[in-house]
PDB file of all heavy atoms in Angstrom:
ATOM      1  N   THR N  53      82.892  16.168 161.398  1.00 86.00           N
ATOM      2  CA  THR N  53      83.122  15.344 162.580  1.00 86.00           C
ATOM      3  C   THR N  53      84.388  14.509 162.410  1.00 86.00           C
ATOM      4  O   THR N  53      85.105  14.637 161.424  1.00 86.00           O
ATOM      5  CB  THR N  53      81.882  14.456 162.860  1.00 86.00           C
ATOM      6  OG1 THR N  53      82.027  13.843 164.136  1.00 86.00           O
ATOM      7  CG2 THR N  53      81.679  13.414 161.778  1.00 86.00           C
ATOM      8  N   GLN N  54      84.631  13.637 163.356  1.00 90.00           N
ATOM      9  CA  GLN N  54      85.841  12.814 163.369  1.00 90.00           C
ATOM     10  C   GLN N  54      85.687  11.575 162.495  1.00 90.00           C
ATOM     11  O   GLN N  54      84.575  11.113 162.239  1.00 90.00           O
ATOM     12  CB  GLN N  54      86.155  12.387 164.797  1.00 90.00           C
ATOM     13  CG  GLN N  54      86.427  13.556 165.720  1.00 90.00           C
ATOM     14  CD  GLN N  54      86.611  13.116 167.152  1.00 90.00           C
ATOM     15  OE1 GLN N  54      86.261  12.007 167.530  1.00 90.00           O
ATOM     16  NE2 GLN N  54      87.162  14.009 167.957  1.00 90.00           N
ATOM     17  N   VAL N  55      86.821  11.015 162.098  1.00 91.00           N
ATOM     18  CA  VAL N  55      86.829   9.832 161.232  1.00 91.00           C
ATOM     19  C   VAL N  55      86.038   8.691 161.869  1.00 91.00           C
ATOM     20  O   VAL N  55      85.258   8.021 161.201  1.00 91.00           O
ATOM     21  CB  VAL N  55      88.271   9.385 160.899  1.00 91.00           C
ATOM     22  CG1 VAL N  55      88.288   8.056 160.165  1.00 91.00           C
ATOM     23  CG2 VAL N  55      88.973  10.451 160.074  1.00 91.00           C
ATOM     24  N   ALA N  56      86.211   8.461 163.165  1.00 89.00           N
ATOM     25  CA  ALA N  56      85.521   7.352 163.830  1.00 89.00           C
ATOM     26  C   ALA N  56      84.005   7.494 163.720  1.00 89.00           C
ATOM     27  O   ALA N  56      83.290   6.503 163.517  1.00 89.00           O
ATOM     28  CB  ALA N  56      85.943   7.272 165.296  1.00 89.00           C
ATOM     29  N   THR N  57      83.502   8.698 163.828  1.00 89.00           N
ATOM     30  CA  THR N  57      82.062   8.937 163.700  1.00 89.00           C
ATOM     31  C   THR N  57      81.613   8.711 162.262  1.00 89.00           C
ATOM     32  O   THR N  57      80.585   8.079 162.017  1.00 89.00           O
ATOM     33  CB  THR N  57      81.708  10.364 164.149  1.00 89.00           C
ATOM     34  OG1 THR N  57      82.163  10.544 165.487  1.00 89.00           O
ATOM     35  CG2 THR N  57      80.217  10.621 164.067  1.00 89.00           C
ATOM     36  N   VAL N  58      82.390   9.203 161.309  1.00 91.00           N
ATOM     37  CA  VAL N  58      82.040   9.016 159.903  1.00 91.00           C
ATOM     38  C   VAL N  58      82.055   7.531 159.545  1.00 91.00           C
ATOM     39  O   VAL N  58      81.193   7.065 158.798  1.00 91.00           O
ATOM     40  CB  VAL N  58      82.974   9.824 158.977  1.00 91.00           C
ATOM     41  CG1 VAL N  58      82.685   9.528 157.510  1.00 91.00           C
ATOM     42  CG2 VAL N  58      82.820  11.312 159.256  1.00 91.00           C
ATOM     43  N   GLU N  59      82.984   6.786 160.094  1.00 90.00           N
ATOM     44  CA  GLU N  59      83.023   5.345 159.812  1.00 90.00           C
ATOM     45  C   GLU N  59      81.712   4.670 160.205  1.00 90.00           C
ATOM     46  O   GLU N  59      81.253   3.773 159.520  1.00 90.00           O
ATOM     47  CB  GLU N  59      84.191   4.688 160.547  1.00 90.00           C
ATOM     48  CG  GLU N  59      85.525   4.956 159.908  1.00 90.00           C
ATOM     49  CD  GLU N  59      86.646   4.225 160.598  1.00 90.00           C
ATOM     50  OE1 GLU N  59      87.069   4.683 161.678  1.00 90.00           O
ATOM     51  OE2 GLU N  59      87.079   3.192 160.063  1.00 90.00           O
ATOM     52  N   ARG N  60      81.114   5.113 161.300  1.00 89.00           N
ATOM     53  CA  ARG N  60      79.832   4.525 161.731  1.00 89.00           C
ATOM     54  C   ARG N  60      78.669   4.983 160.855  1.00 89.00           C
ATOM     55  O   ARG N  60      77.739   4.225 160.603  1.00 89.00           O
ATOM     56  CB  ARG N  60      79.550   4.892 163.188  1.00 89.00           C
ATOM     57  CG  ARG N  60      80.450   4.227 164.183  1.00 89.00           C
ATOM     58  CD  ARG N  60      79.950   4.396 165.614  1.00 89.00           C
ATOM     59  NE  ARG N  60      79.684   5.770 166.008  1.00 89.00           N
ATOM     60  CZ  ARG N  60      80.579   6.597 166.531  1.00 89.00           C
ATOM     61  NH1 ARG N  60      81.819   6.207 166.720  1.00 89.00           N
ATOM     62  NH2 ARG N  60      80.242   7.823 166.875  1.00 89.00           N
ATOM     63  N   CYS N  61      78.693   6.234 160.403  1.00 90.00           N
ATOM     64  CA  CYS N  61      77.565   6.812 159.672  1.00 90.00           C
ATOM     65  C   CYS N  61      77.618   6.551 158.166  1.00 90.00           C
ATOM     66  O   CYS N  61      76.582   6.536 157.508  1.00 90.00           O
ATOM     67  CB  CYS N  61      77.527   8.324 159.859  1.00 90.00           C
ATOM     68  SG  CYS N  61      77.269   8.841 161.534  1.00 90.00           S
ATOM     69  N   TYR N  62      78.795   6.392 157.630  1.00 92.00           N
ATOM     70  CA  TYR N  62      78.994   6.372 156.183  1.00 92.00           C
ATOM     71  C   TYR N  62      78.200   5.263 155.489  1.00 92.00           C
ATOM     72  O   TYR N  62      77.455   5.534 154.547  1.00 92.00           O
ATOM     73  CB  TYR N  62      80.485   6.245 155.869  1.00 92.00           C
ATOM     74  CG  TYR N  62      80.768   6.128 154.403  1.00 92.00           C
ATOM     75  CD1 TYR N  62      80.814   7.265 153.606  1.00 92.00           C
ATOM     76  CD2 TYR N  62      80.970   4.895 153.802  1.00 92.00           C
ATOM     77  CE1 TYR N  62      81.061   7.169 152.244  1.00 92.00           C
ATOM     78  CE2 TYR N  62      81.222   4.795 152.449  1.00 92.00           C
ATOM     79  CZ  TYR N  62      81.263   5.930 151.683  1.00 92.00           C
ATOM     80  OH  TYR N  62      81.499   5.826 150.339  1.00 92.00           O
ATOM     81  N   ASN N  63      78.378   4.010 155.906  1.00 91.00           N
ATOM     82  CA  ASN N  63      77.700   2.907 155.205  1.00 91.00           C
ATOM     83  C   ASN N  63      76.180   3.021 155.240  1.00 91.00           C
ATOM     84  O   ASN N  63      75.541   2.878 154.196  1.00 91.00           O
ATOM     85  CB  ASN N  63      78.181   1.554 155.720  1.00 91.00           C
ATOM     86  CG  ASN N  63      79.544   1.195 155.178  1.00 91.00           C
ATOM     87  OD1 ASN N  63      79.909   1.584 154.073  1.00 91.00           O
ATOM     88  ND2 ASN N  63      80.319   0.475 155.962  1.00 91.00           N
ATOM     89  N   PRO N  64      75.568   3.266 156.403  1.00 92.00           N
ATOM     90  CA  PRO N  64      74.114   3.442 156.387  1.00 92.00           C
ATOM     91  C   PRO N  64      73.666   4.588 155.468  1.00 92.00           C
ATOM     92  O   PRO N  64      72.646   4.496 154.797  1.00 92.00           O
ATOM     93  CB  PRO N  64      73.766   3.749 157.844  1.00 92.00           C
ATOM     94  CG  PRO N  64      74.870   3.166 158.637  1.00 92.00           C
ATOM     95  CD  PRO N  64      76.092   3.282 157.778  1.00 92.00           C
ATOM     96  N   PHE N  65      74.467   5.652 155.429  1.00 93.00           N
ATOM     97  CA  PHE N  65      74.108   6.801 154.609  1.00 93.00           C
ATOM     98  C   PHE N  65      74.140   6.450 153.124  1.00 93.00           C
ATOM     99  O   PHE N  65      73.187   6.719 152.400  1.00 93.00           O
ATOM    100  CB  PHE N  65      75.056   7.970 154.895  1.00 93.00           C
ATOM    101  CG  PHE N  65      74.591   9.260 154.305  1.00 93.00           C
ATOM    102  CD1 PHE N  65      73.790  10.115 155.024  1.00 93.00           C
ATOM    103  CD2 PHE N  65      74.942   9.622 153.013  1.00 93.00           C
ATOM    104  CE1 PHE N  65      73.348  11.319 154.478  1.00 93.00           C
ATOM    105  CE2 PHE N  65      74.513  10.812 152.453  1.00 93.00           C
ATOM    106  CZ  PHE N  65      73.714  11.658 153.188  1.00 93.00           C
ATOM    107  N   VAL N  66      75.228   5.853 152.656  1.00 94.00           N
ATOM    108  CA  VAL N  66      75.312   5.561 151.222  1.00 94.00           C
ATOM    109  C   VAL N  66      74.419   4.387 150.826  1.00 94.00           C
ATOM    110  O   VAL N  66      74.055   4.257 149.659  1.00 94.00           O
ATOM    111  CB  VAL N  66      76.762   5.348 150.727  1.00 94.00           C
ATOM    112  CG1 VAL N  66      77.562   6.626 150.875  1.00 94.00           C
ATOM    113  CG2 VAL N  66      77.435   4.194 151.408  1.00 94.00           C
ATOM    114  N   GLU N  67      74.053   3.549 151.776  1.00 93.00           N
ATOM    115  CA  GLU N  67      73.050   2.516 151.475  1.00 93.00           C
ATOM    116  C   GLU N  67      71.668   3.149 151.340  1.00 93.00           C
ATOM    117  O   GLU N  67      70.880   2.770 150.490  1.00 93.00           O
ATOM    118  CB  GLU N  67      73.051   1.444 152.563  1.00 93.00           C
ATOM    119  CG  GLU N  67      74.280   0.563 152.514  1.00 93.00           C
ATOM    120  CD  GLU N  67      74.468  -0.280 153.762  1.00 93.00           C
ATOM    121  OE1 GLU N  67      73.577  -0.282 154.648  1.00 93.00           O
ATOM    122  OE2 GLU N  67      75.525  -0.931 153.866  1.00 93.00           O
ATOM    123  N   GLY N  68      71.383   4.142 152.172  1.00 93.00           N
ATOM    124  CA  GLY N  68      70.095   4.825 152.112  1.00 93.00           C
ATOM    125  C   GLY N  68      69.982   5.786 150.939  1.00 93.00           C
ATOM    126  O   GLY N  68      68.892   5.996 150.402  1.00 93.00           O
ATOM    127  N   PHE N  69      71.108   6.371 150.559  1.00 95.00           N
ATOM    128  CA  PHE N  69      71.136   7.338 149.456  1.00 95.00           C
ATOM    129  C   PHE N  69      72.289   6.953 148.532  1.00 95.00           C
ATOM    130  O   PHE N  69      73.371   7.528 148.591  1.00 95.00           O
ATOM    131  CB  PHE N  69      71.308   8.764 149.985  1.00 95.00           C
ATOM    132  CG  PHE N  69      70.315   9.102 151.067  1.00 95.00           C
ATOM    133  CD1 PHE N  69      70.702   9.196 152.384  1.00 95.00           C
ATOM    134  CD2 PHE N  69      68.982   9.296 150.748  1.00 95.00           C
ATOM    135  CE1 PHE N  69      69.784   9.488 153.376  1.00 95.00           C
ATOM    136  CE2 PHE N  69      68.055   9.592 151.732  1.00 95.00           C
ATOM    137  CZ  PHE N  69      68.458   9.687 153.049  1.00 95.00           C
ATOM    138  N   ALA N  70      72.061   5.966 147.699  1.00 94.00           N
ATOM    139  CA  ALA N  70      73.121   5.366 146.881  1.00 94.00           C
ATOM    140  C   ALA N  70      73.605   6.271 145.751  1.00 94.00           C
ATOM    141  O   ALA N  70      74.656   6.021 145.181  1.00 94.00           O
ATOM    142  CB  ALA N  70      72.645   4.035 146.321  1.00 94.00           C
ATOM    143  N   ALA N  71      72.845   7.303 145.441  1.00 95.00           N
ATOM    144  CA  ALA N  71      73.229   8.209 144.355  1.00 95.00           C
ATOM    145  C   ALA N  71      72.796   9.622 144.724  1.00 95.00           C
ATOM    146  O   ALA N  71      71.915   9.819 145.559  1.00 95.00           O
ATOM    147  CB  ALA N  71      72.566   7.784 143.044  1.00 95.00           C
ATOM    148  N   VAL N  72      73.410  10.578 144.079  1.00 95.00           N
ATOM    149  CA  VAL N  72      73.146  11.975 144.406  1.00 95.00           C
ATOM    150  C   VAL N  72      71.671  12.325 144.174  1.00 95.00           C
ATOM    151  O   VAL N  72      71.094  13.113 144.932  1.00 95.00           O
ATOM    152  CB  VAL N  72      74.102  12.913 143.637  1.00 95.00           C
ATOM    153  CG1 VAL N  72      73.796  12.952 142.167  1.00 95.00           C
ATOM    154  CG2 VAL N  72      74.095  14.306 144.246  1.00 95.00           C
ATOM    155  N   LEU N  73      71.044  11.739 143.195  1.00 96.00           N
ATOM    156  CA  LEU N  73      69.631  12.021 142.941  1.00 96.00           C
ATOM    157  C   LEU N  73      68.757  11.530 144.098  1.00 96.00           C
ATOM    158  O   LEU N  73      67.803  12.205 144.493  1.00 96.00           O
ATOM    159  CB  LEU N  73      69.184  11.392 141.615  1.00 96.00           C
ATOM    160  CG  LEU N  73      67.833  11.829 141.088  1.00 96.00           C
ATOM    161  CD1 LEU N  73      67.759  13.344 140.928  1.00 96.00           C
ATOM    162  CD2 LEU N  73      67.536  11.154 139.754  1.00 96.00           C
ATOM    163  N   ALA N  74      69.086  10.368 144.659  1.00 96.00           N
ATOM    164  CA  ALA N  74      68.333   9.863 145.815  1.00 96.00           C
ATOM    165  C   ALA N  74      68.477  10.812 146.993  1.00 96.00           C
ATOM    166  O   ALA N  74      67.503  11.094 147.699  1.00 96.00           O
ATOM    167  CB  ALA N  74      68.822   8.469 146.189  1.00 96.00           C
ATOM    168  N   LEU N  75      69.666  11.326 147.203  1.00 96.00           N
ATOM    169  CA  LEU N  75      69.884  12.285 148.284  1.00 96.00           C
ATOM    170  C   LEU N  75      69.146  13.587 148.007  1.00 96.00           C
ATOM    171  O   LEU N  75      68.500  14.151 148.886  1.00 96.00           O
ATOM    172  CB  LEU N  75      71.386  12.536 148.459  1.00 96.00           C
ATOM    173  CG  LEU N  75      71.795  13.529 149.530  1.00 96.00           C
ATOM    174  CD1 LEU N  75      71.273  13.118 150.896  1.00 96.00           C
ATOM    175  CD2 LEU N  75      73.314  13.665 149.548  1.00 96.00           C
ATOM    176  N   ALA N  76      69.211  14.065 146.781  1.00 96.00           N
ATOM    177  CA  ALA N  76      68.548  15.320 146.420  1.00 96.00           C
ATOM    178  C   ALA N  76      67.040  15.231 146.596  1.00 96.00           C
ATOM    179  O   ALA N  76      66.399  16.223 146.953  1.00 96.00           O
ATOM    180  CB  ALA N  76      68.888  15.692 144.982  1.00 96.00           C
ATOM    181  N   ASN N  77      66.474  14.061 146.356  1.00 97.00           N
ATOM    182  CA  ASN N  77      65.024  13.893 146.440  1.00 97.00           C
ATOM    183  C   ASN N  77      64.533  13.526 147.842  1.00 97.00           C
ATOM    184  O   ASN N  77      63.337  13.450 148.071  1.00 97.00           O
ATOM    185  CB  ASN N  77      64.554  12.832 145.442  1.00 97.00           C
ATOM    186  CG  ASN N  77      64.646  13.327 144.019  1.00 97.00           C
ATOM    187  OD1 ASN N  77      64.493  14.514 143.748  1.00 97.00           O
ATOM    188  ND2 ASN N  77      64.925  12.429 143.096  1.00 97.00           N
ATOM    189  N   ALA N  78      65.443  13.292 148.761  1.00 96.00           N
ATOM    190  CA  ALA N  78      65.064  12.873 150.107  1.00 96.00           C
ATOM    191  C   ALA N  78      64.630  14.071 150.947  1.00 96.00           C
ATOM    192  O   ALA N  78      65.145  15.181 150.798  1.00 96.00           O
ATOM    193  CB  ALA N  78      66.238  12.171 150.783  1.00 96.00           C
ATOM    194  N   ALA N  79      63.703  13.795 151.841  1.00 96.00           N
ATOM    195  CA  ALA N  79      63.302  14.821 152.815  1.00 96.00           C
ATOM    196  C   ALA N  79      64.396  14.962 153.861  1.00 96.00           C
ATOM    197  O   ALA N  79      65.105  13.997 154.178  1.00 96.00           O
ATOM    198  CB  ALA N  79      61.995  14.411 153.481  1.00 96.00           C
ATOM    199  N   ALA N  80      64.543  16.149 154.397  1.00 95.00           N
ATOM    200  CA  ALA N  80      65.575  16.400 155.405  1.00 95.00           C
ATOM    201  C   ALA N  80      65.429  15.452 156.589  1.00 95.00           C
ATOM    202  O   ALA N  80      66.431  14.942 157.114  1.00 95.00           O
ATOM    203  CB  ALA N  80      65.516  17.850 155.872  1.00 95.00           C
ATOM    204  N   ASP N  81      64.197  15.182 157.025  1.00 95.00           N
ATOM    205  CA  ASP N  81      63.975  14.266 158.150  1.00 95.00           C
ATOM    206  C   ASP N  81      64.485  12.862 157.841  1.00 95.00           C
ATOM    207  O   ASP N  81      65.017  12.188 158.716  1.00 95.00           O
ATOM    208  CB  ASP N  81      62.495  14.204 158.519  1.00 95.00           C
ATOM    209  CG  ASP N  81      62.012  15.465 159.208  1.00 95.00           C
ATOM    210  OD1 ASP N  81      62.872  16.253 159.688  1.00 95.00           O
ATOM    211  OD2 ASP N  81      60.794  15.671 159.274  1.00 95.00           O
ATOM    212  N   GLU N  82      64.307  12.425 156.605  1.00 94.00           N
ATOM    213  CA  GLU N  82      64.784  11.099 156.205  1.00 94.00           C
ATOM    214  C   GLU N  82      66.318  11.038 156.261  1.00 94.00           C
ATOM    215  O   GLU N  82      66.899  10.068 156.742  1.00 94.00           O
ATOM    216  CB  GLU N  82      64.290  10.782 154.790  1.00 94.00           C
ATOM    217  CG  GLU N  82      64.666   9.419 154.292  1.00 94.00           C
ATOM    218  CD  GLU N  82      64.209   9.182 152.857  1.00 94.00           C
ATOM    219  OE1 GLU N  82      63.643  10.100 152.219  1.00 94.00           O
ATOM    220  OE2 GLU N  82      64.439   8.067 152.367  1.00 94.00           O
ATOM    221  N   VAL N  83      66.967  12.082 155.793  1.00 93.00           N
ATOM    222  CA  VAL N  83      68.432  12.141 155.821  1.00 93.00           C
ATOM    223  C   VAL N  83      68.917  12.128 157.268  1.00 93.00           C
ATOM    224  O   VAL N  83      69.811  11.343 157.626  1.00 93.00           O
ATOM    225  CB  VAL N  83      68.954  13.390 155.083  1.00 93.00           C
ATOM    226  CG1 VAL N  83      70.460  13.512 155.227  1.00 93.00           C
ATOM    227  CG2 VAL N  83      68.547  13.349 153.617  1.00 93.00           C
ATOM    228  N   LEU N  84      68.328  12.951 158.113  1.00 91.00           N
ATOM    229  CA  LEU N  84      68.736  13.007 159.521  1.00 91.00           C
ATOM    230  C   LEU N  84      68.489  11.689 160.228  1.00 91.00           C
ATOM    231  O   LEU N  84      69.282  11.264 161.069  1.00 91.00           O
ATOM    232  CB  LEU N  84      68.011  14.145 160.233  1.00 91.00           C
ATOM    233  CG  LEU N  84      68.442  15.544 159.801  1.00 91.00           C
ATOM    234  CD1 LEU N  84      67.547  16.596 160.435  1.00 91.00           C
ATOM    235  CD2 LEU N  84      69.900  15.787 160.127  1.00 91.00           C
ATOM    236  N   HIS N  85      67.399  11.021 159.890  1.00 91.00           N
ATOM    237  CA  HIS N  85      67.106   9.714 160.484  1.00 91.00           C
ATOM    238  C   HIS N  85      68.210   8.707 160.191  1.00 91.00           C
ATOM    239  O   HIS N  85      68.670   7.988 161.077  1.00 91.00           O
ATOM    240  CB  HIS N  85      65.744   9.197 160.007  1.00 91.00           C
ATOM    241  CG  HIS N  85      65.436   7.821 160.480  1.00 91.00           C
ATOM    242  ND1 HIS N  85      65.052   7.562 161.770  1.00 91.00           N
ATOM    243  CD2 HIS N  85      65.485   6.623 159.830  1.00 91.00           C
ATOM    244  CE1 HIS N  85      64.869   6.256 161.908  1.00 91.00           C
ATOM    245  NE2 HIS N  85      65.129   5.676 160.751  1.00 91.00           N
TER     246      HIS N  85
END
Side-chain angles (χ1 to χ4, degrees):
T53 190
Q54 298 175 344
V55 172
T57 303
V58 175
E59 284 184 283
R60 290 192 307 272
C61 297
Y62 176 82
N63 283 330
F65 192 91
V66 295
E67 288 166 6
F69 309 107
V72 70
L73 192 56
L75 179 58
N77 289 329
D81 288 343
E82 183 183 3
V83 175
L84 291 173
H85 175 76

